[in-house]
């Protein structure tokens, strides 16, 4: 299913996107050395409920997971990259943490992810990898305009990631979003320009470049959800929900307030 949102729905999408962004930034500020992943999950639940919104994750039960996800945010640490199931783990200085959050409010969903380093350590390879995903995300957003095609976005993202020297996995990528979290079209993180679904105003896309330092192969944890790099290398993931407008792409998941 691919939805084209009307102006009223787009206005609600902006509200949801801002909520997702603000929750992520609040959680980032609380992701200090010693903070527990289960506490981050509880804080996410509290902020979602207080905003009158609904989690897209807690009851999510796709074919690639094992039963309902059961939590409110994905927390991926170091070699974990996608669908990180929160567990009893205290963050350490230098951990590379990815927080991925999808929420629905007033019938419209938004999805975003941020990667950052916990504490005062700044491992250069981790800093570079996070930067590469952020640059790739910006390139994909710049390519998203009416009349362009999904392949143009994928090519823009993949070009940045490849130039930075990272292998690219195409099993999981960006996606359409609207009244539900995951919709068509699929947006791979590499591709050929001029191919695929033609973009038009009212389409919402979640673009999400993610990489693993030295492999494109994933393994799945015993929890049935958490995906990790097959070699144990570190990973990074950046994501925004955007709306295609007559003028180009509008980022919906930007924070509305200052955060520490």
């Amino acid at each position: 299913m691919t939805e084209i949102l009307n102006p009223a729905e787009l206005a609600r999408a902006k509200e949801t996107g801002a909520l997702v962004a603000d929750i992520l930034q609040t959680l980032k500020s609380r992701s200090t050395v010693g903070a527990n992943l289960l506490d981050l999950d509880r804080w996410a639940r509290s902020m979602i409920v207080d905003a009158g919104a609904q989690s897209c994750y807690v009851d999510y039960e796709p074919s690639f997971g094992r039963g309902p996800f059961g939590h409110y945010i994905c927390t991926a640490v170091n070699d974990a990259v996608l669908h990180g199931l929160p567990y009893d783990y205290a963050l350490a200085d230098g951990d590379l943490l990815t927080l991925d959050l999808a929420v629905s409010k007033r019938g419209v969903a938004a999805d975003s992810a941020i990667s950052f380093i916990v504490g005062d350590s700044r491992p250069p390879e981790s800093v570079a990898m996070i930067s590469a995903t952020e640059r790739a995300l910006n390139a994909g957003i710049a390519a998203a305009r009416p009349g362009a095609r999904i392949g143009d976005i994928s090519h823009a993202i993949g070009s940045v990631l490849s130039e930075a020297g990272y292998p690219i996995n195409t099993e999981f990528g960006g996606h359409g979003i609207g009244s539900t979290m995951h919709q068509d079209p699929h947006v791979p993180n590499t591709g050929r320009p001029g191919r695929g679904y033609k973009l038009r105003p009212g389409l919402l896309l979640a673009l999400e470049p993610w990489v693993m330092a030295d492999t494109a192969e994933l393994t799945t944890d015993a929890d049935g959800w958490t995906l990790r790099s097959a070699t144990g290398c570190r990973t990074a993931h950046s994501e925004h929900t955007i709306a295609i407008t007559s003028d180009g792409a509008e980022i919906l998941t930007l924070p509305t307030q200052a955060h520490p």
Side-chain angles (χ1 to χ4, degrees), residues 53-183:
Q54 298 78 43
S55 168
C56 293
Y57 292 160
V58 67
D59 295 322
Y60 189 48
E61 193 172 3
S63 59
F64 55 79
R66 182 186 299 165
F69 187 74
H71 291 270
Y72 291 79
I73 191 165
C74 294
T75 55
V77 182
N78 295 332
D79 61 328
V81 64
L82 297 173
H83 314 153
L85 198 72
Y87 66 104
D88 184 12
Y89 176 78
L91 293 168
D93 186 57
D95 276 347
L96 199 166
L97 175 63
T98 297
L99 300 177
D100 190 351
L101 179 68
V103 164
S104 179
K105 185 174 182 182
R106 298 175 64 199
V108 184
D111 191 359
S112 183
I114 55 174
S115 287
F116 54 92
I117 301 168
V118 176
D120 297 324
S121 296
R122 288 294 177 269
E125 298 86 356
S126 297
V127 172
M129 185 163 46
I130 294 169
S131 175
T133 64
E134 292 172 344
R135 296 196 313 274
L137 179 56
N138 289 335
I141 293 169
R145 56 188 183 277
R149 295 186 180 272
I150 292 297
D152 298 319
I153 298 174
S154 297
H155 177 72
I157 290 171
S159 296
V160 173
L161 299 180
S162 295
E163 184 177 339
Y166 297 107
I168 300 173
N169 176 295
T170 55
E171 293 175 77
F172 297 93
H175 50 89
I177 187 169
S179 61
T180 56
M181 173 174 58
H182 283 151
Q183 299 182 0

